[in-house]
Amino acid sequence: MELRIDMTDEVEVVEKKAKLVNPEFVEEVIKAGAVSVNLCWQCGTCTASCPSGLHTAFRVRKLIRRVQLGFMDEVLPADDMWMCTTCYTCHERCPRDVKIPEIIFTLRNMAVKMGYMAETHKKAATLLVKTGHTIPLDDKAKALRKKVGLIETPLTTLSNSEALEEVQKILRHTGFDKIVGA
Amino acid sequence: MAPLRYPGIESAARAVLSALDVQFSDLKDVSCCPAPGVFRSFDQQTWLAISARNLALAEVQNADIITICNGCFASLFEVAYILNNDREKLDEINAILADIDLEYNCTTNVKHFADILFKDIGVKKIADSVNYPYKNLKIAVHYGCHFLKPSNVKNIDDPERPMILDKLVEAVGATSVDYMDKNRCCGAGGGVRARAKEVALKMTADKLENIEKAGANCIVDICPFCHLQFDMGAMELGKTNIPVVNLAQLYGLAFGIDKSKLGLDIQAVPIKLDKG
């Protein structure tokens, strides 16, 4: 009996995947400020230290490798990097001084610019644009403040519209309102 | 987070600082720090500029900033550090602040409430102010991530084996118990609570289980966001036997400050501590 294996499909899949690699991605990440990304030699201390990785599929080491290799389309749209609590344990323990949270912040900024942003995060961003804070001053908060002997409205942008306008000017200058669609 | 969700922490911190003769006033017109986990993730330039405005407002008054939150501390301290060390970035941010006729000249010191208590006031003076000691209380301390880390920037205490908060809670006569993964994250930070609460809660469940195994009567923290994660998390996980207490609330009780100012009952899990 003749054993024949058709390899055409597999070759096509590999070729398709290879086309997704963007060799310039790592340079873009470095230019955006994450200068330490190529110092990583893949020891895995970060993954072993990650409290989020204990409960999710998020693997810090793999994230860094994907960036080094240019797998932009596997990194930026994915949930993975948003599972990082920025606890800095990996930063503390990395034997190569890779500033991992800095890299994650940079990648998240890129993702947000491309429109990948959770609805709950958009909500927090919108509150900053509208009030200068991320938590609303509602009647409940006012009542609680009064109960413990504090003035109901803190002396922040919440009580001075000119101060709030200053914050909003800054947000317009950086384009934050547009970035987050607020 | 403290002023609008856990105002008892703000009120307790004010009362405790006054009791320890620390002079302070409200820094008017400030905005959110802004919260590092979310806003640094969204746009670092915005994070730097909004935080620099807050730093510049303190600079105008020639004042240091005290924060009672690890998140505010992360943003304000780290933005100050970045701008102190990167002239080009400072110029970029000042070009933004020029829109509102403000300039930041890198002179504002940012200090965390706990760091002031430990280094500027000292455990001895705190212990001398204790009128109602808690001798039988077993406390599980939770430092939170951004008080000490990144340690190359913060340089406050050993991030893997810190002792500041342990010494601070022992000033009321209590025992700080060791527990597994004591320095691990509460789970809330980095925007994870907002984006994937179930993931945040799994990390919180780990902490609560280890704290319970160590026989602690309460958790003491120094960050209102960790506080929210433990307090709301306890309820969400149905594990409400161990209350979370902010260091300022613990001191408020031990100093004998009017309980109505401490917000002990405005949490999901009210604070009730037995004196020894």
Side-chain angles (χ1 to χ4, degrees):
Chain A
M1 195 179 74
E2 186 190 15
L3 188 69
R4 193 172 158 272
I5 302 169
D6 188 354
M7 297 287 286
T8 331
D9 281 359
E10 204 186 319
V11 170
E12 268 176 22
V13 167
V14 170
E15 279 178 355
K16 214 171 158 190
K17 267 192 182 173
K19 274 186 192 154
L20 291 175
V21 174
N22 173 2
E24 280 153 33
F25 182 48
V26 69
E27 290 307 322
E28 283 169 34
V29 172
I30 290 169
K31 235 188 256 164
V35 292
S36 62
V37 66
N38 275 337
L39 296 176
C40 171
W41 59 22
Q42 294 286 292
C43 72
T45 304
C46 47
T47 292
S49 303
C50 179
S52 184
L54 284 172
H55 298 290
T56 64
F58 176 44
R59 299 290 177 265
V60 187
R61 181 183 65 85
K62 283 191 181 176
L63 177 77
I64 303 298
R65 191 64 178 142
R66 285 186 177 123
V67 175
Q68 290 175 334
L69 292 175
F71 287 98
M72 189 172 99
D73 294 331
E74 284 182 21
V75 170
L76 295 183
D79 272 341
D80 259 20
M81 65 174 170
W82 293 95
M83 296 302 116
C84 166
T85 64
T86 69
C87 79
Y88 281 88
T89 311
C90 55
H91 170 108
E92 296 293 336
R93 295 179 183 172
C94 175
R96 297 282 293 160
D97 284 334
V98 179
K99 310 293 185 210
I100 298 158
E102 260 183 41
I103 296 168
I104 291 175
F105 284 128
T106 302
L107 294 169
R108 286 179 174 184
N109 280 199
M110 288 175 156
V112 166
K113 273 208 183 86
M114 293 169 76
Y116 299 114
M117 196 173 180
E119 283 307 313
T120 47
H121 284 171
K122 274 188 190 162
K123 227 168 135 186
T126 306
L127 271 169
L128 183 78
V129 176
K130 288 195 173 139
T131 69
H133 288 269
T134 43
I135 297 164
L137 175 70
D138 51 16
D139 289 344
K140 193 184 159 203
K142 281 186 185 172
L144 289 181
R145 288 183 60 80
K146 201 173 170 189
K147 195 175 174 197
V148 295
L150 295 168
I151 50 168
E152 285 186 14
T153 306
L155 300 173
T156 65
T157 51
L158 292 169
S159 62
N160 181 351
S161 58
E162 283 174 25
L164 175 59
E165 272 170 35
E166 287 187 8
V167 168
Q168 289 167 337
K169 258 189 195 170
I170 292 175
L171 296 174
R172 277 197 298 274
H173 188 131
T174 60
F176 185 77
D177 45 354
K178 292 211 180 70
I179 296 169
V180 302
Chain B
M1 183 60 65
L4 301 174
R5 281 281 167 81
Y6 289 94
I9 295 176
E10 178 190 332
S11 166
R14 287 173 185 271
V16 165
L17 288 172
S18 296
L20 293 167
D21 309 318
V22 178
Q23 289 189 355
F24 62 93
S25 61
D26 284 85
L27 181 53
K28 293 192 181 110
D29 298 340
V30 289
S31 64
C32 183
C33 47
V38 278
F39 294 105
R40 196 175 181 186
S41 294
F42 302 161
D43 184 48
Q44 300 208 64
Q45 198 77 342
T46 300
W47 174 71
L48 287 162
I50 294 290
S51 200
R53 176 179 171 273
N54 291 330
L55 293 167
L57 290 176
E59 189 170 66
V60 169
Q61 297 185 31
N62 201 19
D64 292 341
I65 294 179
I66 303 177
T67 77
I68 53 170
C69 169
N70 288 7
C72 303
F73 186 59
S75 284
L76 296 165
F77 190 97
E78 288 169 40
V79 168
Y81 179 89
I82 290 168
L83 299 180
N84 282 346
N85 290 289
D86 186 342
R87 185 66 217 213
E88 210 176 300
K89 196 44 92 180
L90 178 65
D91 289 344
E92 275 175 39
I93 297 304
N94 272 332
I96 299 171
L97 294 184
D99 283 8
I100 55 167
D101 298 322
L102 210 57
E103 187 180 39
Y104 181 55
N105 297 298
C106 299
T107 64
T108 304
N109 291 312
V110 180
K111 293 185 173 188
H112 192 292
F113 177 70
D115 196 32
I116 288 180
L117 290 173
F118 189 77
K119 291 199 184 124
D120 298 316
I121 295 165
V123 169
K124 192 181 173 302
K125 180 164 178 181
I126 294 164
D128 288 346
S129 306
V130 170
N131 297 312
Y132 302 94
Y134 282 86
K135 290 233 184 297
N136 291 333
L137 195 65
K138 287 193 201 162
I139 295 175
V141 298
H142 174 79
Y143 283 80
C145 302
H146 301 125
F147 174 45
L148 304 175
K149 295 178 280 185
S151 64
N152 61 316
V153 172
K154 303 272 170 55
N155 201 18
I156 291 172
D157 197 354
D158 184 331
E160 300 275 6
R161 283 179 180 71
M163 55 87 192
I164 287 181
L165 187 52
D166 299 79
K167 300 272 183 210
L168 283 173
V169 300
E170 288 184 342
V172 304
T175 306
S176 173
V177 298
D178 271 333
Y179 62 94
M180 197 161 91
D181 295 324
K182 185 171 160 184
N183 296 314
R184 197 183 278 173
C185 175
C186 69
V192 174
R193 183 177 167 87
R195 186 176 171 122
K197 196 194 267 185
E198 69 291 350
V199 174
L201 282 175
K202 281 179 183 166
M203 289 181 250
T204 315
D206 286 348
K207 289 282 300 197
L208 290 176
E209 193 183 323
N210 292 334
I211 285 166
E212 191 172 16
K213 270 189 201 152
N217 312 115
C218 69
I219 304 164
V220 170
D221 62 12
I222 50 173
C223 171
F225 197 33
C226 302
H227 199 89
L228 177 133
Q229 183 61 15
F230 282 122
D231 187 45
M232 297 301 288
M235 203 180 61
E236 286 153 359
L237 292 161
K239 238 177 166 337
T240 55
N241 51 333
I242 303 174
V244 57
V245 186
N246 184 276
L247 182 66
Q249 293 172 308
L250 177 72
Y251 282 178
L253 285 167
F255 291 3
I257 289 165
D258 178 2
K259 277 188 188 171
S260 71
K261 285 186 176 174
L262 304 178
L264 305 175
D265 57 346
I266 55 173
Q267 314 198 147
V269 184
I271 298 169
K272 261 182 112 175
L273 304 178
D274 290 326
K275 273 194 206 73

